[in-house]
Amino acid sequence: MSVLIDVVFSVTPAGYSALRNSVEPMRLDLKTLLTLVDGICPVAQYVPFLLSFAPLPEKFQTLERMGYLKRTGSISTQAVSAFEQSVALGQPLSRMPIIDSRQRDSGFVPLN
């Protein structure tokens, strides 16, 4: 997977402005992704649910380059691997591990 898979992004003030901008519309796939970013979940947690937007890491990079997203930290490799493994095994959503930055076992490291 991509090097961004463990990164947690948050929406910047410019990103929120872009979402409300009707003069210069954003591509629908980017706008949808930007709307879903919560500042808590890493890129890995979006991937299995947004398959029609694949490849997601590149879209996160595009939004970051546009100044609409910023990196706020990262989740541990172990937490991401456990999540990806549960996805690969086809576990139901209710049984997938939570890997958001608020969970003690996520190994979240803020960027400061």
Side-chain angles (χ1 to χ4, degrees):
M1 267 267 170
S2 168
V3 295
L4 288 181
I5 213 71
D6 64 340
V7 175
V8 176
F9 284 98
S10 62
V11 180
T12 65
Y16 286 117
S17 292
L19 286 171
R20 292 186 301 274
N21 185 343
S22 60
V23 177
E24 298 176 35
M26 186 184 320
R27 282 184 8 213
L28 184 57
D29 59 341
L30 295 178
K31 188 172 189 174
T32 301
L33 182 57
L34 187 59
T35 301
L36 295 172
V37 171
D38 60 10
I40 297 169
C41 297
V43 172
Q45 197 130 342
Y46 296 96
V47 172
F49 305 108
L50 299 172
L51 296 175
S52 63
F53 294 105
L56 276 183
E58 286 80 359
K59 288 180 178 57
F60 276 93
Q61 286 178 316
T62 299
L63 290 166
E64 183 180 31
R65 276 193 307 274
M66 295 169 86
Y68 299 160
L69 291 180
K70 68 176 180 176
R71 297 174 193 217
T72 58
S74 63
I75 299 295
S76 74
T77 303
Q78 294 83 3
V80 171
S81 293
F83 178 78
E84 289 176 333
Q85 192 171 32
S86 70
V87 171
L89 292 172
Q91 289 187 350
L93 293 177
S94 62
R95 302 193 82 203
M96 287 186 181
I98 297 171
I99 55 170
D100 70 46
S101 62
R102 299 173 299 184
Q103 299 294 318
R104 181 184 304 261
D105 61 350
S106 70
F108 178 70
V109 178
L111 291 177
N112 293 356

